[in-house]
Amino acid sequence: MSELGISDVAVHCSDIDDECQWKAPFYFIQGADPQFGLMKAWAIGDCDNGGDEWEEEIKLTEQAVQAINQLNPKPKFFVLCGDLIHGMPGTQWRKDQEQDLKNVLKNIDQDIPLVFVSGNHDIGNVPTPETIDDYCKHWGDDYFSFWVGGVFFLVLNSQLYFDSSKCSELKQAQDEWLNAQLAVAEKRKCKHVIVFQHIPLFLQNPDEDHDYFNLEKSVRHELMEKFHKAGIKAVFSGHYHRNAGGSYKDLEMVVSSAIGCQLGEDTHGLRVVIVTAEKIVHRYCSLNDLSSQGIEKELMDLIKQN
């Protein structure tokens, strides 16, 4: 497990029965795509070989950490939904980018656990057993589940659904694990089930065409139906570097823009996610607004409800 692991948040009912019981509304912070190195690479138009500078991303991630640290009450955890760095496996700046990101994240309040989700830049567009193993050594497991406050959370390696041609056995292992976890979700009386993954199921419409930023249609529909039957309420992702989202039946797909490089009109930001007994409410906040104003009163009032 990585030095920045998720041991404080990832609990199982057999270990800590408390976290499987609903008590009161709470919130967590979702971020995505700090992707150290992309801003320079995008600016020079060379995403494959660029990315030799990431000072801007360091400053933005430091701002994100500072904004989270000053929140009161504290979030239950901070989840980063993939593309932690820009350097693909085997590229020259990868190790330095990883170390610089770890150095920034070490400053997060010790009472706010970190949850890491693997992205395509973290394990490669076509992952292999070796790239996934390397990721796990640095950041923790590529898929796992945990309970917080009566809510069941699933973290998935979405790259295995995008292209598992070089690691089919690992894809099968995740599939079998996921089926077992969804069976748990169906049996237990958890208030909600929430999924984190890097690549969105879809960006706006469940039937939209497949491209780089979503999952292939047949894979997508199989997962959506599986999630719906298991009672999953929301899937949170990144990857798009823009805010987007939509619904499939009663499953909400939430696509959050980046801490780092923006590819659209959104600002660098984080998503505040409020979990109440009845619903999941979320708001994307710019880093500047979250730093200067904190969480707006409307959302804070939901947290204070019993």
Side-chain angles (χ1 to χ4, degrees), residues 16 35 38 40 48 72 95 100 102 105-107 142 146 168-169 181 183-184 204 209 257 276 293:
I16 304 176
Q35 204 160 342
L38 177 59
K40 169 71 179 292
D48 291 331
N72 185 28
K95 288 184 179 179
D100 284 348
K102 287 183 178 183
L105 294 177
K106 283 176 182 175
N107 294 318
D142 58 322
F146 61 95
S168 58
E169 290 183 1
Q181 297 300 303
V184 170
Q204 295 174 323
D209 290 339
S257 196
T276 74
Q293 303 169 24

Side-chain angles (χ1 to χ4, degrees), residues 9 75 93 96 117 206 243 274 276 281:
V9 67
W93 299 300
D96 289 340
V117 181
N243 286 311
I274 313 293
T276 74
V281 180

